[in-house]
Amino acid sequence: MKKEVHDEAASHSQLTMQVVEHVRSLIASGEVKPGDRLPPERELARKLKISRSSLRAGIGFLSAMGVLKSRHGAGTFVSSGPPAFDSNSFSVLGALHGFLPWQMFEARIVLESNVAALAAERATDEHVAELAEEVAEMYATLTDPQEYLIHDVRFHRAIARAAGNPILGALMETITANLYQNRSMTVQNAQDLKESAEMHREIYRAIRSHNPNLARRTMEQHLKMASKAQAAETEQPATPLPDEDNAETKPV
């Protein structure tokens, strides 16, 4: 069973990387530029020979990592500024799949609680505004777990930037990439996203008030709750994503 789960995660990562590489090539060739809208989903899925649900997983990853930005009713756009395609989060996308969930959360508690404390000390008004935007988007997407997850991950990345330490930032990029990859396969089974959103709001308030001790405690509390929530999601049968295609076409 463990091998089947690992194989599924590896396959998921391979399809995600296929989307990442295609978007990279579109930007490198000048076919799309920062601020441009990506081609329609159906066109991209046909070109990559993957299902639209797999395409959405890749686009969701790129959105969580800040390369793309979705606008409700308008489509998906390349974010302004040069996308960080060479980030460690892409090159080691599947490297953490062998670790157990409790080990990942233990490492996150050690790292992220202290990153949150640094962010509370160093966050600028711009950082605080970015965190506020992601919290607002989490509340706006409570009924859409996959979209909620994108803003959840972006929130944690924003905290890492606010901490102002590039070494910690690089570590967080790798962790958030792995977080999105793993959680995207189970988040449809989430029981209470509103409770999660409220915890993120408390972390945001602690950082906004420049209270390092409160930020550290609140982040630790959030991650302990998130560990239990993800375990509960994993115990349930995964809910398949809606897809207009009847079957997945494997890449050739």
Side-chain angles (χ1 to χ4, degrees):
M1 177 64 71
K2 184 181 291 186
K3 184 178 185 300
E4 290 177 3
V5 172
H6 185 276
D7 289 346
E8 180 182 357
S11 175
H12 192 67
S13 292
Q14 289 166 2
L15 290 171
T16 298
M17 282 306 299
Q18 190 177 354
V19 177
V20 169
E21 289 301 323
H22 185 68
V23 173
R24 186 214 300 263
S25 70
L26 290 176
I27 295 174
S29 68
E31 189 172 339
V32 294
K33 300 178 178 62
D36 285 355
R37 185 180 184 275
L38 286 186
E41 279 187 2
R42 188 177 295 279
E43 179 183 329
L44 283 174
R46 189 184 303 117
K47 185 174 290 188
L48 293 172
K49 296 183 173 62
I50 60 176
S51 72
R52 291 176 72 178
S53 62
S54 293
L55 176 69
R56 290 188 196 112
I59 287 175
F61 175 82
L62 288 167
S63 296
M65 294 299 106
V67 176
L68 301 178
K69 188 154 190 173
S70 295
R71 299 175 191 164
H72 295 299
T76 302
F77 297 78
V78 179
S79 297
S80 299
F85 278 116
D86 294 326
S87 165
N88 287 339
S89 59
F90 298 104
S91 61
V92 296
L93 188 57
L96 300 180
H97 281 305
F99 292 106
L100 298 173
W102 72 264
Q103 294 171 323
M104 283 297 300
F105 273 102
E106 186 173 73
R108 288 185 65 194
I109 287 171
V110 171
L111 179 63
E112 289 192 66
S113 59
N114 288 293
V115 167
L118 285 175
E121 293 178 2
R122 301 171 179 174
T124 64
D125 290 345
E126 183 179 350
H127 292 136
V128 171
E130 184 179 4
L131 291 170
E133 179 182 353
E134 297 304 338
V135 170
E137 290 292 341
M138 278 187 254
Y139 276 100
T141 55
L142 289 176
T143 58
D144 186 343
Q146 291 290 338
E147 192 68 20
Y148 178 94
L149 178 60
I150 289 172
H151 296 291
D152 185 335
V153 171
R154 289 171 69 103
F155 178 85
H156 286 268
R157 292 180 68 245
I159 290 176
R161 287 193 296 276
N165 184 310
I167 298 174
L168 293 174
L171 291 172
M172 283 299 303
E173 286 292 297
T174 299
I175 287 173
T176 52
N178 178 263
L179 164 64
Y180 181 83
Q181 280 293 95
N182 286 340
R183 188 91 190 280
S184 65
M185 293 186 282
T186 64
V187 72
Q188 290 294 132
N189 299 323
Q191 296 296 304
D192 193 352
L193 290 179
K194 185 177 180 182
E195 182 181 33
S196 171
E198 289 170 352
M199 284 302 305
H200 285 90
R201 182 172 61 184
E202 291 306 309
I203 296 167
Y204 154 70
R205 286 174 171 170
I207 293 172
R208 182 186 63 184
S209 64
H210 299 288
N211 187 328
N213 289 331
L214 181 59
R216 181 184 290 108
R217 291 196 306 271
T218 309
M219 178 63 82
E220 184 173 343
Q221 181 185 359
H222 161 60
L223 290 173
K224 288 177 178 178
M225 291 174 60
S227 177
K228 294 177 182 177
Q230 187 167 337
E233 291 171 15
T234 306
E235 289 169 3
Q236 301 179 54
T239 304
L241 290 173
D243 190 2
E244 291 83 351
D245 302 333
N246 292 326
E248 172 125 352
T249 305
K250 296 296 182 184
V252 294

